[in-house]
Amino acid sequence: MVEKVITLDNVSLIDFLGVENNNIKEVAAAFPMSKIISRGNEIRIKGTTPEITRISDIMDSLIQHYQKYGRVTHENVQTYLGQSGIQTSSGTGIAPTLPDDEDVLVYGTRGIVVRARTDNQKRLVEAAEKHDLVFAIGPAGTGKTYTAVAIAVRALKNKEVKKIIITRPAVEAGENLGFLPGDLKEKIDPYLRPIYDALDDMIPAEKLKFYQENRIIEIAPLAYMRGRTLNNAFILLDEAQNTTPMQMKMFLTRMGPNSKAIITGDRSQIDLPNRQKSGLIESVDILKTIKGIAFVELDGRDVVRHRLVREIITAYEKAGQ
């Protein structure tokens, strides 16, 4: 008998092993002559060399599946067993093939499938594939931020970049930061909540915690970007309409080698003090002739929130606000 140990690094065990380790039990049932034991983040395989080789190949496929989609289901296990010629509990040696995922950006948590849902969101995805710097401008609810986060997460999962940095200016929407309780982080976190919500949909909690603890994913106010050069990173600037021209220039000059950036903003929701020009508006005028920079405009047709949101936006546009 030969023994092999597979260590599951940066893996949500419940999402990989299944409830009560049922995924591994399914693999073990397909190889009754071998012994497969799951303890913590280790899987121990005991058996003959040929069987261990086959089991290892299946486990490698399941690990790659998890890294891509964020979870492994009972059906996934049967698929990989079937593709390896193993008789599955469905009674056939060939399980269904995996679905075509050409237009899927991220397979997220809780079975969420994230893809571009409108024509302009698809244009945003295409622009990000072809350009290192993209401006995505449109009203609330058009999926600018959510789509941008999904594009960045996909790039990280595909190892196109080494980290994601997401930032936004901490500008009050008619409120005052000074009156909020807590330290600076606690004051600013509510402004970053939409980013956390998007990431929660796309990355399992344990893996997201690991990414943040190891600074693979950073979420910070724009002021923290000063003086940094960001290499091999996907950088997102959200709520860019609330940057000053100086802040926008500072952000744009942070890009280092092998970096990509998406800037999102809404011209109709500028919360800067009166007479303060928006860095987003100014940068669009200044940079519009530079090759390699893409500008994607989203509108009411891209609203994916409640149906009333689209009508509200249209009403305000008609009122000139």
Side-chain angles (χ1 to χ4, degrees):
M1 296 283 283
V2 180
E3 182 179 39
K4 179 174 182 177
V5 178
I6 298 174
T7 303
L8 304 174
D9 293 322
N10 308 326
V11 168
S12 168
L13 297 181
I14 183 64
D15 290 324
F16 182 80
L17 301 175
V19 177
E20 298 181 351
N21 293 350
N22 282 336
N23 291 340
I24 296 305
K25 290 178 182 177
E26 179 83 11
V27 177
F31 295 91
M33 302 301 293
S34 298
K35 191 172 184 179
I36 304 176
I37 302 172
S38 172
R39 289 180 180 170
N41 69 334
E42 287 187 348
I43 297 174
R44 293 183 176 271
I45 309 169
K46 293 182 179 179
T48 63
T49 299
E51 279 220 337
I52 284 184
T53 299
R54 295 184 72 188
I55 295 169
S56 295
D57 289 343
I58 291 169
M59 293 304 304
D60 287 344
S61 296
L62 290 172
I63 291 170
Q64 291 175 18
H65 180 98
Y66 171 83
Q67 290 173 341
K68 185 172 184 179
Y69 303 118
R71 65 197 295 258
V72 175
T73 66
H74 170 76
E75 291 75 17
N76 299 147
V77 176
Q78 289 212 330
T79 295
Y80 288 109
L81 287 173
Q83 290 177 349
S84 297
I86 305 298
Q87 190 80 7
T88 67
S89 59
S90 64
T92 174
I94 302 177
T97 57
L98 294 171
D100 179 20
D101 60 354
E102 185 177 346
D103 66 336
V104 174
L105 293 172
V106 178
Y107 283 86
T109 60
R110 303 180 299 279
I112 293 173
V113 177
V114 182
R115 52 164 56 91
R117 297 171 61 183
T118 70
D119 288 342
N120 285 328
Q121 288 177 9
K122 291 175 183 177
R123 290 190 185 99
L124 173 55
V125 173
E126 292 170 0
E129 291 172 350
K130 298 176 182 177
H131 301 81
D132 289 339
L133 177 59
V134 179
F135 285 79
I137 303 170
T142 52
K144 308 180 300 294
T145 299
Y146 198 83
T147 304
V149 171
I151 293 169
V153 170
R154 181 180 66 170
L156 181 65
K157 287 188 173 184
N158 291 343
K159 295 181 171 53
E160 296 168 12
V161 296
K162 293 183 178 179
K163 57 187 173 183
I164 296 173
I165 298 171
I166 307 175
T167 185
R168 68 191 308 191
V171 175
E172 305 96 326
E175 301 173 13
N176 195 321
L177 270 176
F179 290 105
L180 294 174
D183 58 19
L184 179 60
K185 182 181 185 302
E186 291 170 328
K187 290 175 185 288
I188 289 172
D189 267 0
Y191 290 86
L192 302 171
R193 191 68 254 169
I195 305 298
Y196 288 111
D197 289 344
L199 289 171
D200 285 342
D201 280 353
M202 300 175 198
I203 302 175
E206 290 181 21
K207 195 162 191 178
L208 179 57
K209 182 180 179 182
F210 171 83
Y211 280 158
Q212 290 187 263
E213 288 176 348
N214 289 274
R215 300 182 70 181
I216 296 170
I217 293 181
E218 294 184 51
I219 307 172
L222 182 58
Y224 288 19
M225 296 296 106
R226 187 173 297 279
R228 300 182 64 182
T229 300
L230 306 175
N231 302 327
N232 300 303
F234 209 118
I235 317 156
L236 305 182
L237 171 58
D238 192 36
E239 298 288 344
Q241 75 275 3
N242 288 327
T243 61
T244 65
M246 186 175 295
Q247 286 175 324
M248 178 60 78
K249 181 180 178 183
M250 180 272 290
F251 173 82
L252 290 170
T253 54
R254 295 309 92 200
M255 291 180 66
N258 303 315
S259 289
K260 297 176 77 74
I262 297 179
I263 296 171
T264 67
D266 178 358
R267 292 189 182 93
S268 68
Q269 291 189 347
I270 298 174
D271 300 313
L272 293 168
N274 290 338
R275 298 182 181 178
Q276 174 67 68
K277 190 170 185 179
S278 166
L280 174 66
I281 305 300
E282 181 184 81
S283 63
V284 171
D285 291 336
I286 292 174
L287 305 176
K288 60 186 178 183
T289 60
I290 296 181
K291 292 182 179 179
I293 301 178
F295 299 87
V296 178
E297 294 279 351
L298 298 97
D299 54 39
R301 293 169 297 179
D302 301 297
V303 172
V304 292
R305 293 181 183 171
H306 192 285
R307 63 173 184 82
L308 286 176
V309 174
R310 183 179 301 176
E311 296 180 28
I312 290 169
I313 291 171
T314 301
Y316 270 91
E317 288 175 348
K318 288 181 178 178
Q321 298 186 35

